[in-house]
Amino acid sequence: MALLTSGINSGQLSEVTDAYKALCTTSHQGSNVHYFDVDSAGDKGDGCFAVRQILPGTLLHQETPLFIIHEIGDGELSEPAKDAISAELARLSPADHAEYMRLVDPGQIRRTRQKNDIRIFEANSFETERHTGRRTTDQGIFLKAARFNHSCVPNAYFQWNPRIDCLTIFAISRIDRKGEILVNYKCEDIYKPRAERRQNLDQGYRFECECQACHDGPFHDESESLRASMKTIDTNIQQQIGHLNVQRHRVNTLISLLGAAGCPYPQKADLYERLAVSYLAEMDHLGAGHSGNITECRRRARDAARGKLMAEILSIGPNTEEVDRSLALIAAAGYHEGSG
């Protein structure tokens, strides 16, 4: 809570803390509850299947890494990275090495080659930082998390949490019993068409996606149209085209479309933050004779910050740096309805 203490009185801090605790109750976390089994997922290898109905915000899994390779670099694995992988594998116990070699190797599935430990790493490693869109950071192996398969329309979200040195996986939509739990390996590709998504997945993970958004049919057609619309709106937002209120309208529209596309995080939280910051900046520029406008800006900033907070609690959990930033935004806006 250190981020909240600067310039915030005790009453405001208490109100923000109470709001935070209330929102946390919507996150149905239960790390001791058994939520899924690992079973065959056909050509995809193993997969994770729900053994009970799962609600959004449920912490499905958290795991420490078997090992981490630092400074992977963009594109193909470098020779030093491959040497580092081989060195880490040599240090594993026989049992852990056997589990590692059980992970899927896309080359073997395609029946083109024998199983290869480097390809296994490429297909099963996770970033140990927030998703950046570039494979330039550290990558870790998580033996159980690697069993979660990909979908461009995921029902769960994974992220490395440096505070607990674990990879976490949260449900982001309701998952029915026996349904497969799916994450998006390339969530930064949400606005891209199928051809580009497939190309990036093949380059990074060595498989061709056949999820419902990629498989030919009405859902795919609707998905491609929706993603094209979102890309256009996002481009206009990034280029700051139009009046400020027009920009805010675009942001709100994109938030709605992301919900319709089944991809609520992280883009949705980033958009809420953009809205909150814009209203806070407008508050700073308004003079003393605009108390009504300041109050409205404060309310809108607070609502956007709470939207960001809710998205984060449901997708990555409360004990994260992102949640701290959301709490700081709420505090900056002033939590009391009558403040301003």
Side-chain angles (χ1 to χ4, degrees):
M1 300 294 290
L3 288 175
L4 298 177
T5 58
S6 177
I8 305 299
N9 65 46
S10 60
Q12 287 175 311
L13 182 56
S14 175
E15 290 286 349
V16 171
T17 304
D18 290 345
Y20 168 61
K21 290 178 179 177
L23 283 172
C24 284
T25 64
T26 65
S27 183
H28 308 279
Q29 300 177 43
S31 57
N32 295 324
V33 178
H34 182 62
Y35 288 109
F36 64 90
D37 285 333
V38 177
D39 203 348
S40 173
D43 288 344
K44 296 185 293 185
D46 288 338
C48 297
F49 296 85
V51 297
R52 64 184 71 225
Q53 186 182 85
I54 299 171
L55 299 178
T58 300
L59 174 59
L60 300 171
H61 182 62
Q62 67 179 41
E63 183 177 356
T64 56
L66 183 65
F67 62 85
I68 292 176
I69 303 299
H70 301 284
E71 298 299 324
I72 287 292
D74 195 24
E76 296 292 328
L77 287 175
S78 65
E79 289 305 316
K82 292 178 181 179
D83 291 342
I85 294 168
S86 297
E88 290 290 345
L89 292 175
R91 297 188 186 102
L92 296 180
S93 68
D96 283 343
H97 189 272
E99 282 300 303
Y100 176 85
M101 294 305 295
R102 288 189 66 245
L103 297 178
V104 69
D105 175 357
Q108 188 187 48
I109 288 178
R110 294 170 180 174
R111 299 178 181 178
T112 58
R113 307 172 190 173
Q114 292 183 341
K115 209 160 195 179
N116 178 278
D117 53 8
I118 300 299
R119 285 201 309 273
I120 291 174
F121 181 88
E122 289 181 314
N124 293 279
S125 60
F126 290 86
E127 290 182 8
T128 51
E129 282 188 3
R130 191 174 190 269
H131 301 290
T132 62
R134 290 174 57 80
R135 194 168 183 164
T136 57
T137 184
D138 301 345
Q139 300 276 325
I141 287 291
F142 303 82
L143 289 175
K144 195 161 187 178
R147 308 295 186 182
F148 290 86
N149 288 315
H150 165 86
S151 173
C152 297
V153 189
N155 52 26
Y157 183 81
F158 73 89
Q159 181 162 302
W160 172 255
N161 187 338
R163 289 188 172 176
I164 58 175
D165 289 329
C166 284
L167 186 81
T168 61
I169 299 177
F170 282 80
I172 57 175
S173 62
R174 194 184 75 175
I175 305 171
D176 291 330
R177 182 174 176 272
K178 296 185 178 181
E180 186 173 6
I181 303 170
L182 300 162
V183 298
N184 191 339
Y185 295 170
K186 303 285 287 185
C187 64
E188 63 272 9
D189 286 354
I190 174 63
Y191 304 136
K192 295 179 180 178
R194 175 177 65 180
E196 291 184 40
R197 298 197 308 274
R198 278 182 166 177
Q199 180 181 21
N200 291 339
L201 286 165
D202 187 62
Q203 289 176 349
Y205 297 94
R206 310 301 182 193
F207 72 91
E208 182 175 279
C209 184
E210 283 291 345
C211 74
Q212 58 181 340
C214 291
H215 190 76
D216 287 337
F219 188 96
H220 159 263
D221 297 339
E222 183 178 350
S223 173
E224 291 294 279
S225 176
L226 186 59
R227 290 170 198 270
S229 297
M230 291 193 295
K231 182 176 181 179
T232 298
I233 296 171
D234 181 65
T235 298
N236 289 335
I237 291 172
Q238 299 304 325
Q239 294 178 354
Q240 298 184 349
I241 297 173
H243 187 272
L244 179 59
N245 287 334
V246 173
Q247 285 293 298
R248 288 169 176 166
H249 176 72
R250 289 193 180 112
V251 170
N252 281 311
T253 299
L254 189 51
I255 288 172
S256 297
L257 291 178
L258 283 165
C263 302
Y265 195 84
Q267 287 86 354
K268 198 170 183 178
D270 292 342
L271 289 166
Y272 275 126
E273 181 171 357
R274 179 184 285 266
L275 276 179
V277 169
S278 76
Y279 284 115
L280 289 173
E282 186 174 350
M283 284 169 54
D284 289 340
H285 286 92
L286 289 171
H290 298 83
S291 60
N293 290 336
I294 291 175
T295 299
E296 180 63 14
C297 283
R298 188 187 303 279
R299 182 187 69 79
R300 291 177 181 268
R302 185 176 58 248
D303 288 348
R306 285 170 61 87
K308 171 177 161 62
L309 178 61
M310 180 66 78
E312 285 160 349
I313 288 175
L314 293 178
S315 302
I316 59 176
N319 184 23
T320 59
E321 295 174 1
E322 290 86 349
V323 163
D324 277 357
R325 289 198 293 272
S326 294
L327 292 171
L329 282 172
I330 292 172
Y335 184 74
H336 291 290
E337 289 290 340
S339 62

